[in-house]
Amino acid sequence: MISEIGGGYDSQGKIEKMSENTGFQLGTIGALTLSVVSSVSIVICNKSLMSTLHFIFATTLTSWHLLVTFCSLHLALWMKFFEHKPIESQTVIGFGILNGISIGLLNLSLGFNSVGFYQMTKLAIIPCTVLLETLFLSKNFSQSVKLSLTVLLLGVGIATITDLQLNILGSILSLLAVVTTCIAQIMTNTIQKKFKVSSTQLLYQSCPYQAMTLLISGPFLDRLLTNQNVFSFNYTPKLVVFIVLSCLISVSVNFSTFLVIGKTSPVTYQVLGHLKTCLVLAFGYVLLSNPFSWRNIFGIMVALVGMVLYSYYCVLENQKKASEAPVQPQLKDTESDSLLHDETGTGTLNDVDVPKAPTWKSDKDLHA
């Protein structure tokens, strides 16, 4: 009789485990798709803003993105689409300010460096994240995953890096941008799991501090990089329409960023970011007839191979962990149920590129 009960629990546990894994995988695929579509869309919109309408105040625009995101989430909270869950104020404030600083530093990095060196900065985020997670979070990355990441970075480097002009100030800014971005993205994942909050709840509470940081610093940074004043710019009706559209798309971008990092990992989000870079390059070549070479094509193909290998090895490792994990009997406990169904699974939030003053290139935001 005991063995029959045990077998029943085992069978039921396996079914529930399979159902939970299937739901998680569908949610992850949805988050990845939303991130790709929204990020490519906002790059297209910002391409028109910067190249056609000459609105090149990227940091200020990002602060507006965050303000609109916060207002949208506040409306969603009022309509009870999600519940407010308190997080330590010290943690949220520090996290929000750090995210805002990382965005500003990434913009400064592009402003004081060549496009090629800026691409090297973005490529450095993945190995830096792997190093930090290994040292401070005791996370192990298999040789297969490291190999696939190497192939990915090699491909993106071949496709995007054009020159490597170094300068001391630009190098320091790039180093700070890499470190702050890595820490912010690792914190995004860690905070969600530690406080059992969803990506929506964390984004809602951190948005005001990110927006405030960029609202204060944005006009000064943009003035430094562009030699123009954002408040004296000529805001035509067409320009206002594109700014509003960019802000609306940014809601999806910011939400999907937190969602992807929470459901996967900071490294996976960076891999996805390089996929978006390749898609933007391909879009510029196919639809905008931007200059393209066999070097670009070869680099994108190598990067895609690296992404496929990374996805394949991650799936294999997840399946291995799932098979090794013991199946626990279902607990008839409300706290356990809430944890199982809670979305614990989340930047850069910067999808806007700043031109390097004083020379502005109309296609620069596509290369970055």
Side-chain angles (χ1 to χ4, degrees), residues 94-106:
F95 172 70
I97 293 175
L98 180 63
N99 259 304
I101 291 173
S102 70
I103 295 170
L105 286 172
L106 282 169

Side-chain angles (χ1 to χ4, degrees), residues 117 131 262:
F117 191 80
L131 177 63

Side-chain angles (χ1 to χ4, degrees), residues 149-163:
L149 290 175
T150 303
V151 174
L152 166 67
L153 296 178
L154 177 63
V156 175
I158 293 173
T160 60
I161 295 176
T162 53
D163 58 343

Side-chain angles (χ1 to χ4, degrees), residues 56-60 104-105 107-113 169 173 216-230 354-359:
I56 53 178
F57 308 101
T59 308
T60 302
L105 286 172
N107 286 339
L108 283 173
S109 175
L110 180 59
F112 284 92
N113 291 301
L169 178 59
L173 290 172
I216 295 173
S217 61
F220 298 101
L221 291 179
D222 289 333
R223 182 66 178 261
L224 178 66
L225 294 171
T226 65
N227 295 319
Q228 297 183 47
N229 188 347
V230 65
V354 177
K356 180 182 177 182
T359 57

Side-chain angles (χ1 to χ4, degrees), residues 3-307:
S3 62
E4 290 178 3
I5 295 175
Y9 268 122
D10 185 63
S11 177
Q12 181 184 1
K14 287 182 179 178
I15 293 174
E16 290 173 351
K17 188 73 175 178
M18 289 173 61
S19 177
E20 184 181 340
N21 289 337
T22 302
F24 178 80
Q25 290 173 1
L26 290 176
T28 303
I29 293 172
L32 295 173
T33 303
L34 178 63
S35 180
V36 171
V37 172
S38 58
S39 294
V40 173
S41 299
I42 203 170
V43 167
I44 296 171
C45 182
N46 291 338
K47 167 70 176 178
S48 299
L49 267 175
M50 293 183 171
S51 301
T52 306
L53 302 175
H54 309 292
F55 186 84
I56 53 178
F57 308 101
T59 308
T60 302
L61 180 61
T62 305
S63 69
W64 296 345
H65 287 172
L66 289 165
L67 274 179
V68 173
T69 299
F70 173 72
C71 293
S72 302
L73 290 176
H74 190 71
L75 178 62
L77 178 64
W78 179 74
M79 298 176 68
K80 297 184 178 180
F81 284 117
F82 70 96
E83 294 182 357
H84 177 72
K85 189 172 183 179
I87 308 175
E88 283 182 4
S89 57
Q90 192 174 15
T91 300
V92 173
I93 294 173
F95 172 70
I97 293 175
L98 180 63
N99 259 304
I101 291 173
S102 70
I103 295 170
L105 286 172
L106 282 169
N107 286 339
L108 283 173
S109 175
L110 180 59
F112 284 92
N113 291 301
S114 64
V115 174
F117 191 80
Y118 176 71
Q119 290 295 344
M120 283 293 294
T121 298
K122 292 175 71 175
L123 291 178
I125 292 175
I126 285 183
C128 181
T129 302
V130 171
L131 177 63
L132 290 177
E133 289 193 322
T134 302
L135 292 177
F136 297 102
L137 300 181
S138 301
K139 187 173 181 179
N140 295 321
F141 294 88
S142 66
Q143 295 298 323
S144 300
V145 169
K146 291 178 182 178
L147 176 63
S148 62
L149 290 175
T150 303
V151 174
L152 166 67
L153 296 178
L154 177 63
V156 175
I158 293 173
T160 60
I161 295 176
T162 53
D163 58 343
L164 290 175
Q165 299 173 6
L166 303 178
N167 64 83
I168 296 177
L169 178 59
S171 300
I172 293 174
L173 290 172
S174 294
L175 177 62
L176 292 175
V178 170
V179 173
T180 53
T181 300
C182 291
I183 294 175
Q185 292 181 357
I186 292 173
M187 284 182 66
T188 302
N189 186 276
T190 304
I191 291 174
Q192 286 194 50
K193 289 178 168 56
K194 179 180 178 181
F195 294 98
K196 301 295 187 296
V197 294
S198 69
S199 54
T200 310
Q201 291 166 332
L202 178 58
L203 179 59
Y204 173 70
Q205 295 188 58
S206 63
C207 244
Y209 304 106
Q210 297 180 55
M212 181 178 61
T213 303
L214 294 179
L215 278 172
I216 295 173
S217 61
F220 298 101
L221 291 179
D222 289 333
R223 182 66 178 261
L224 178 66
L225 294 171
T226 65
N227 295 319
Q228 297 183 47
N229 188 347
V230 65
F231 300 112
S232 62
F233 197 79
N234 181 25
Y235 290 88
T236 63
K238 184 178 180 180
L239 174 63
V240 172
V241 169
F242 272 89
I243 289 176
V244 171
L245 179 60
S246 178
C247 289
L248 292 176
I249 298 174
S250 73
V251 176
S252 176
V253 173
N254 292 333
F255 173 71
S256 62
T257 296
F258 277 62
L259 191 60
V260 168
I261 296 178
K263 283 186 171 295
T264 56
S265 69
V267 174
T268 298
Y269 175 74
Q270 285 300 322
V271 171
L272 185 68
H274 292 308
L275 171 61
K276 290 183 282 191
T277 299
C278 293
L279 289 176
V280 170
L281 285 173
F283 167 82
Y285 172 65
V286 174
L287 298 182
L288 302 180
S289 301
N290 287 339
F292 218 62
S293 66
W294 286 108
R295 177 170 171 256
N296 300 125
I297 297 174
F298 176 71
I300 289 176
M301 296 302 294
V302 173
L304 289 175
V305 170
M307 292 174 199

